[in-house]
Amino acid sequence: MTSNDTQTTAPTTTPAVLLRSDGEVDEETMAYAREKIDAIVARPGLPTVTGEVRITKTTTHHADRPWSATAALHVGRRDVVVHAEEATGHELVDQLQDRLRRQTDKAVHSGHNGRAAAPPWRGGPGTPQPAEGDDRTADSHPA
């Protein structure tokens, strides 16, 4: 297997996402992949994105889906790993883009530190607060 050298994607304002290829991946597919990955990682409101995308084309003639891609990205403090397999390079890149967009969106909207908000019975959002003139605390119980 041959490996094309690393190529940096994303504009100069964002950190690099490396794009690599193994096998006989044509330049047209690589350019198409660079364009689609740039569209994902350069979206406004997305935290820092770094990582690597690897596109592989096997030489096995009996394989139904000889094209595969694996993306391992760090979106802010979250890790996003995506795998795709398809029959052609363009189908592969389109599927990879869809999955990367879904997973990066999920990583961005899943919270700040990986923990869900505390439920109301543990003092989370929706916990009743004592009234202004009420001298009882939220934890007091009637006798």
Side-chain angles (χ1 to χ4, degrees):
M1 237 187 246
T2 62
S3 176
N4 292 339
D5 211 4
T6 348
Q7 306 216 357
T8 302
T9 65
T12 56
T13 58
T14 55
V17 173
L18 302 176
L19 178 62
R20 297 177 182 232
S21 66
D22 285 331
E24 297 183 20
V25 179
D26 56 290
E27 283 300 315
E28 179 185 343
T29 302
M30 291 297 286
Y32 187 62
R34 276 195 244 22
E35 176 185 326
K36 296 296 185 173
I37 293 167
D38 284 347
I40 293 168
V41 300
R43 290 181 296 160
L46 206 61
T48 304
V49 179
T50 59
E52 177 180 295
V53 177
R54 183 177 297 270
I55 297 177
T56 306
K57 182 181 179 191
T58 63
T59 56
T60 310
H61 298 290
H62 64 277
D64 289 339
R65 296 183 279 177
W67 290 86
S68 66
T70 303
L73 302 179
H74 305 287
V75 180
R77 293 175 26 200
R78 305 250 183 220
D79 291 333
V80 173
V81 178
V82 175
H83 183 74
E85 292 181 342
E86 279 300 330
T88 67
H90 280 273
E91 290 175 355
L92 173 77
V93 172
D94 290 341
Q95 185 182 66
L96 180 68
Q97 181 189 26
D98 290 343
R99 290 181 178 181
L100 274 174
R101 183 177 305 275
R102 230 180 1 257
Q103 292 300 320
T104 55
D105 286 348
K106 187 186 271 188
V108 168
H109 299 306
S110 64
H112 298 292
N113 62 1
R115 295 180 182 230
W121 58 88
R122 292 207 176 168
T127 303
Q129 299 298 321
E132 283 282 325
D134 194 0
D135 57 347
R136 295 183 302 157
T137 62
D139 293 344
S140 65
H141 299 283

